Amino acid sequence: MKIIIIGAGEVGHNLCTTLSAAGHNVTLIEQSEVRCEKLDEEQNARIITGNGSSARQLVDVDVASCDAFLAMTSDDRTNVISCSLAKGLGAKNTIARIHDETFSDNSVINYQLHFGIDLLVNPEAICAVELAKEIRSAGRVAVENFARGQIEVQLQEVAPNSRLIGKKLKDLKLDARVRIGFIQRDSSSEVASADSILQEGDMVTLFGHPEVLFTLRERFDPKHKIDIARVVLFGGSETAISLIRLLTNPRFKVRVIEKDKAKCRSLAERFPDITVINGDATSLRLLEEEQIGSADYFVACTKDDEENILTCLQAAKLGANHVQLVINKGDYDQLLGILKTMLGIEVVVSPRQATAEFMLRNLSADSSATLATVPGGDGQIVEVRITHSSPCVGKKVKDIQLPAGAVFVALLHKFKAKVPAADDVILAGDRVVVIVSEAQQKAVMASLV
């Protein structure tokens, strides 16, 4: 695959390395001559000193023949303009890195459609989803993030006093944004169907919007106790802002410690329900004053890796129940495993690595990918890419006959993801997530690809 990358910062540099190693034909355009000279020596890619938002420059690198154009600079406007020009000049697939929420706000105009951009990617938001997984639900299935936090997968046990016992799934009247995909009972398991009947002790795999899944817990277990989670974030970074948005439920009590007074004022105005503290979390005295030892989660997510590591170690020593860390630079790549296993830091995420992993999956030529295996059974969670030649293109979900032992649980169209409704139409370029028994995988692929 021919790929053009604009920008050789941490994200662009790492993408160049990762995609080149995967066998892709990569061209990287960077304005800094010094950086280009260094990259030329270490990268197995074509390195060009130039302006990625110049139409002439894009013509010179034959953008019309590229399969994927990735604008990964730290400037949103440069990325949007570059992608728009690349699409106009014939690039097949354009992906822009964005930070400003303006470009993902479609209330007035769809920026993505207007500028001809196939996908908007926010590395910090991808990391925030990884951090939020553990905070929002300890019972979720470990699944690759296929919907950027819009859909989660959770395991839920049917309690003895649940009113769902003895009822068929089609009679439960669940929220339309929820789908039951798999049922495990004693030593047996099955992919759920409309006629499946729930029994006491069943372990049910649920798909849906995180907050909807949370409100559903009471129906499975009427005695379910809602625990308040005390979350402390060090740094008012983009990752922190994305994480705050994912923790809007009142059951999360969020505090942010930030050194910059202007950022503190901005955060307090944007998120009136959180507590913002102007201070330096590298100060042990401040951490003690704020009683970090009693926090359920401490997340260090500033742009300074050294400060993040230091504060995580201090928070863990003071007794914080769960400690999470954001690493921005590639300097610590070799230490990530050590940080997790030896220093008690449970979750370590990296915007550059998260973006590289996302791109590898998004640019893969494979028609399907197994995201996870449901614990305790033979159920597979599979993501399928719908091509123009797929027999299901243009059909409604209710008209697609999946084999017995398979069910649609998610539909991804561009940047939106949802649990599919019966009247949703499958389009070329969509991705569908199916839960299927191992024995039926080939039959499912035949009906979708």
Side-chain angles (χ1 to χ4, degrees):
M1 185 178 287
K2 181 178 178 181
I3 299 173
I4 296 175
I5 300 173
I6 307 300
E10 287 288 341
V11 172
H13 184 178
N14 192 54
L15 268 178
C16 182
T17 303
T18 304
L19 296 175
S20 297
H24 295 290
N25 177 9
V26 179
T27 297
L28 187 147
I29 301 176
E30 163 63 38
Q31 287 188 310
S32 169
E33 289 187 19
V34 175
R35 190 172 291 176
C36 283
E37 288 176 6
K38 183 180 178 182
L39 289 170
D40 207 24
E41 295 174 359
E42 64 181 49
Q43 294 287 335
N44 181 25
R46 181 186 178 197
I47 309 298
I48 295 175
T49 304
N51 181 2
S53 56
S54 160
R56 172 54 58 191
Q57 180 75 75
L58 298 183
V59 170
D60 289 344
V61 297
D62 194 18
V63 71
S65 67
C66 85
D67 299 293
F69 182 90
L70 316 180
M72 295 289 135
T73 76
S74 58
D75 183 76
D76 289 358
R77 292 175 180 81
T78 298
N79 295 338
V80 169
I81 291 170
S82 298
C83 279
S84 185
L85 289 172
K87 182 59 95 174
L89 292 170
K92 295 182 181 65
N93 192 21
T94 58
I95 302 175
R97 174 187 179 187
I98 57 103
H99 302 88
D100 192 335
E101 62 187 61
T102 298
F103 295 107
S104 55
D105 178 9
N106 297 330
S107 58
V108 178
I109 190 171
N110 188 316
Y111 290 89
Q112 212 173 312
L113 183 64
H114 180 77
F115 288 105
I117 302 171
D118 293 296
L119 190 61
L120 300 174
V121 174
N122 185 333
E124 288 74 21
I126 295 174
C127 284
V129 170
E130 296 301 315
L131 297 167
K133 281 179 184 178
E134 301 300 323
I135 300 173
R136 291 198 302 197
S137 174
R140 77 181 303 284
V141 179
V143 177
E144 180 75 18
N145 173 38
F146 58 84
R148 267 142 303 168
Q150 298 172 76
I151 293 179
E152 279 193 353
V153 190
Q154 294 183 6
L155 287 177
Q156 183 68 53
E157 184 174 5
V158 181
N161 53 347
S162 172
R163 294 184 179 180
L164 303 180
I165 294 173
K167 292 186 178 180
K168 292 183 178 181
L169 298 192
K170 63 183 178 183
D171 298 326
L172 297 185
K173 297 181 180 179
L174 297 178
D175 190 294
R177 293 170 290 174
V178 173
R179 182 67 46 84
I180 294 178
F182 205 70
I183 300 172
Q184 297 158 246
R185 181 176 302 145
D186 298 327
S187 58
S188 65
S189 58
E190 66 169 316
V191 173
S193 69
D195 292 320
S196 295
I197 299 175
L198 294 181
Q199 296 182 14
E200 177 186 333
D202 284 353
M203 290 298 298
V204 178
T205 305
L206 295 161
F207 293 74
H209 188 277
E211 294 306 323
V212 178
L213 291 181
F214 182 82
T215 59
L216 191 61
R217 287 185 181 184
E218 191 175 354
R219 293 189 65 184
F220 283 87
D221 182 4
K223 293 184 178 180
H224 172 71
K225 181 183 178 183
I226 299 176
D227 294 320
I228 299 296
R230 292 158 296 183
V231 183
V232 179
L233 311 181
F234 171 38
S237 62
E238 294 157 13
T239 303
I241 291 170
S242 296
L243 186 53
I244 292 168
R245 291 197 187 103
L246 294 171
L247 303 177
T248 55
N249 191 287
R251 72 183 187 274
F252 301 114
K253 300 301 180 185
V254 179
R255 282 181 288 164
V256 179
I257 301 175
E258 167 58 48
K259 289 187 282 189
D260 187 286
K261 285 187 178 180
K263 278 189 179 181
C264 287
R265 283 193 294 269
S266 176
L267 284 170
E269 290 170 1
R270 293 174 69 179
F271 305 104
D273 294 329
I274 70 171
T275 301
V276 182
I277 300 157
N278 180 219
D280 184 356
T282 60
S283 164
L284 183 60
R285 181 177 178 180
L286 176 64
L287 294 180
E288 290 173 338
E289 288 175 354
E290 292 301 324
Q291 299 180 334
I292 298 303
S294 64
D296 296 298
Y297 293 89
F298 181 87
V299 186
C301 48
T302 74
K303 291 290 187 180
D304 189 309
D305 291 347
E306 289 76 14
E307 289 192 353
N308 287 345
I309 294 171
L310 175 61
T311 54
C312 276
L313 295 177
Q314 290 178 333
K317 186 176 180 180
L318 288 172
N321 288 338
H322 306 279
V323 178
Q324 300 182 341
L325 169 67
V326 175
I327 291 292
N328 301 282
K329 296 181 291 188
D331 301 353
Y332 294 97
D333 283 355
Q334 304 301 318
L335 299 176
L336 297 187
I338 296 174
L339 289 170
K340 292 183 70 172
T341 56
M342 297 185 66
L343 303 181
I345 298 173
E346 294 182 355
V347 178
V348 181
V349 298
S350 161
R352 59 199 295 277
Q353 284 196 348
T355 304
E357 291 167 6
F358 172 81
M359 289 298 181
L360 278 175
R361 275 198 44 238
N362 194 73
L363 299 175
S364 171
D366 295 337
S367 58
S368 66
T370 299
L371 301 180
T373 299
V374 179
D378 69 344
Q380 303 282 328
I381 301 173
V382 180
E383 181 182 280
V384 182
R385 187 198 305 262
I386 304 300
T387 63
H388 289 278
S389 59
S390 169
C392 66
V393 170
K395 290 185 179 180
K396 292 182 178 180
V397 170
K398 64 182 180 183
D399 297 327
I400 300 171
Q401 298 299 316
L402 290 180
V407 62
F408 286 115
V409 291
L411 170 63
L412 291 80
H413 176 69
K414 294 290 186 183
F415 203 64
K416 299 296 181 184
K418 61 175 293 191
V419 171
D423 290 325
D424 284 335
V425 178
I426 305 296
L427 304 174
D430 287 351
R431 296 175 186 237
V432 295
V433 179
V434 183
I435 190 165
V436 57
S437 62
E438 196 169 347
Q440 292 288 8
Q441 279 203 44
K442 287 185 178 179
V444 168
M445 292 304 108
S447 64
L448 296 178
V449 179

